[in-house]
Amino acid sequence: MLLSCGIVGLPNVGKSTLFNALLSRQIADTSPYPFCTIEPNVGIVEIPDTRINQIAEAENSKITAPAIIKFVDIAGLVKNAHQGEGLGNQFLAHIREVETIIHVIRLFKNDLVTTLGDAEPTEDYKTIQTELILADLGTLDKQKEPKGELTKELKLWWQTIIAAKEILDKGIALDNSELTAEQKKLLKPLCLLTIKPELKVLNIDESQYDNLENIHKDLSHLDAVAVCAKLESELIDLDQSERGEYLLELGIKKSGLEELIIKAFKTLDLITFYTANDNETHSWTINKGTVARAAAGEVHSDMEKGFIKAAVCPAETFTQHKGWKDIYNLGLTKFEGSEYQVQDGDVLEFKFKV
């Protein structure tokens, strides 16, 4: 499955700079003027994963194919976007197409930025959140109450619509509400915005790294990842080891981008499993709780249709030995049926018939 994350926020908070840094190349226009991005920029990024290379080495695979994530750089929203202000309807439509939202909040200072006033992260966040809530209320208000003799499903659907409107009227996003998984599933066809998982990013400047502890303490209610998008974009031309060394000199243990990608992955409640042979080691992304037969379908539909069983070995055990040959010889493989729930880090070999 291909994950998709939409990068949103007020104009000039550094969305396009962050996007470029994620993709390690200049794609999006980063001019300091509102609406310099109209059509969304789209890019694919590998999910950081140390296990895949270790598994490939154990199996002596020729190539590796890491799991990937799609980022969409969406133009800045403004107050009253739900009413079409600042091309709001067009931008909101782009958000509906992604699975999760990365909300960029400005904390850096930059005289070139044309947005008014100093950075006010809490208020800026509320501005965007309010627009998403109002847009969702507009969608729900368009739903018509079913008439006549109703089925159990229709009754539950309408009750869910009412419940969702009551939650939004309180200024609460649906993703953070007490809606059940079944209710959220019923609302899915409406492509509501606040039902999407959200990840918040504080875009800081380089000087603020020394004050990160206090920043996180003061803005703990936002539960945000701190990233200096400008610094990360300036490191694009350095190789991975040089980037790491430079960040360590600044007292930064891990790239903010790496933390962002990993957290985006976890926000969606996803796990990774692997397939490995002498040609390729491949990582696959699935929802937590996915059973073996469905996981086989991620690799190929024939594997799901003709599923017999799956050979399973944890990544740690696999990397300690020389691939499947040793794993089988040492009796370290478990064979699981179609309803086995795949665990994060499982290396799987599917047995199937066409």
Side-chain angles (χ1 to χ4, degrees):
M1 62 188 297
L2 178 60
L3 317 179
S4 59
C5 298
I7 304 175
V8 306
L10 290 169
N12 310 133
V13 296
K15 299 182 300 298
S16 294
T17 303
L18 176 67
F19 177 83
N20 289 336
L22 283 164
L23 268 66
S24 295
R25 58 185 186 271
Q26 186 79 16
I27 290 181
D29 185 354
T30 57
S31 303
Y33 309 103
F35 313 121
C36 66
T37 302
I38 296 179
E39 290 302 320
N41 299 296
V42 179
I44 304 295
V45 177
E46 293 180 0
I47 297 171
D49 184 355
T50 57
R51 295 181 298 202
I52 188 170
N53 290 328
Q54 295 168 348
I55 293 169
E57 185 178 350
E59 186 62 17
N60 199 26
S61 300
K62 295 182 181 68
I63 58 176
T64 59
I68 56 176
I69 186 168
K70 180 171 78 171
F71 288 100
V72 183
D73 173 29
I74 298 170
L77 294 172
V78 295
K79 189 174 182 180
N80 295 323
H82 70 286
Q83 296 177 339
E85 192 73 26
L87 301 179
N89 290 332
Q90 182 178 344
F91 300 157
L92 290 171
H94 294 150
I95 300 173
R96 296 186 197 282
E97 296 174 2
V98 300
E99 293 173 311
T100 193
I101 294 171
I102 295 179
H103 188 156
V104 182
I105 306 162
R106 180 169 73 97
L107 201 58
F108 66 87
K109 297 178 181 179
N110 189 336
D111 293 337
L112 293 177
V113 171
T114 60
T115 48
L116 298 176
D118 295 330
E120 296 288 349
T122 300
E123 292 305 312
D124 290 351
Y125 173 74
K126 286 181 180 177
T127 296
I128 298 298
Q129 188 74 344
T130 298
E131 291 307 313
L132 301 184
I133 286 173
L134 291 173
D136 279 354
L137 280 170
T139 299
L140 293 175
D141 285 340
K142 294 176 183 176
Q143 307 309 306
K144 303 297 183 183
E145 181 178 3
K147 303 295 183 181
E149 189 173 344
L150 305 182
T151 63
K152 182 181 178 181
E153 289 75 16
L154 270 178
K155 286 181 181 178
L156 180 57
W157 175 80
W158 185 245
Q159 290 168 358
T160 301
I161 295 293
I162 294 173
K165 289 174 69 173
E166 290 175 351
I167 291 166
L168 293 169
D169 279 331
K170 296 176 183 177
I172 300 172
L174 297 178
D175 182 49
N176 298 323
S177 70
E178 296 181 356
L179 287 177
T180 66
E182 183 181 8
Q183 287 176 314
K184 289 182 178 180
K185 188 175 180 180
L186 286 171
L187 293 172
K188 190 172 182 179
L190 297 178
C191 297
L192 298 173
L193 303 172
T194 66
I195 209 166
K196 299 176 184 292
E198 181 187 51
L199 178 64
K200 294 174 280 292
V201 174
L202 289 173
N203 192 5
I204 64 175
D205 58 45
E206 192 173 329
S207 65
Q208 292 171 309
Y209 273 116
D210 292 336
N211 195 35
L212 267 186
E213 187 174 342
N214 289 331
I215 288 173
H216 283 304
K217 183 178 179 180
D218 293 342
L219 299 173
S220 59
H221 56 286
L222 293 177
D223 187 27
V225 176
V227 177
C228 179
K230 182 175 182 292
L231 171 64
E232 300 273 2
S233 65
E234 290 171 351
L235 299 179
I236 285 173
D237 293 330
L238 301 180
D239 63 33
Q240 195 65 35
S241 61
E242 289 175 328
R243 289 187 199 185
E245 290 173 7
Y246 187 79
L247 290 172
L248 283 176
E249 288 177 8
L250 295 174
I252 305 167
K253 295 180 180 179
K254 185 183 292 187
S255 164
L257 294 184
E258 186 175 342
E259 290 187 10
L260 170 59
I261 293 172
I262 292 171
K263 191 165 184 179
F265 193 69
K266 291 181 178 178
T267 297
L268 291 171
D269 204 18
L270 300 165
I271 62 172
T272 299
F273 76 90
Y274 304 87
T275 55
N277 54 46
D278 59 1
N279 181 55
E280 178 185 80
T281 292
H282 201 305
S283 59
W284 305 89
T285 302
I286 55 173
N287 294 105
K288 190 175 181 180
T290 298
V291 297
R293 181 187 291 275
E298 291 292 324
V299 181
H300 198 286
S301 58
D302 285 347
M303 290 186 177
E304 182 173 13
K305 293 174 184 176
F307 182 93
I308 299 173
K309 59 185 176 181
V312 183
C313 183
E316 288 185 9
T317 302
F318 195 93
T319 56
Q320 290 171 7
H321 302 277
K322 294 181 180 179
W324 282 116
K325 185 176 180 180
D326 276 10
I327 297 297
Y328 280 121
N329 289 339
L330 294 170
L332 297 174
T333 306
K334 290 184 178 179
F335 290 95
E336 301 287 357
S338 61
E339 296 305 306
Y340 166 74
Q341 287 194 1
V342 178
Q343 302 299 303
D344 183 57
D346 277 351
V347 185
L348 301 178
E349 188 172 66
F350 297 108
K351 312 296 181 180
F352 67 104
K353 61 181 179 181
V354 178

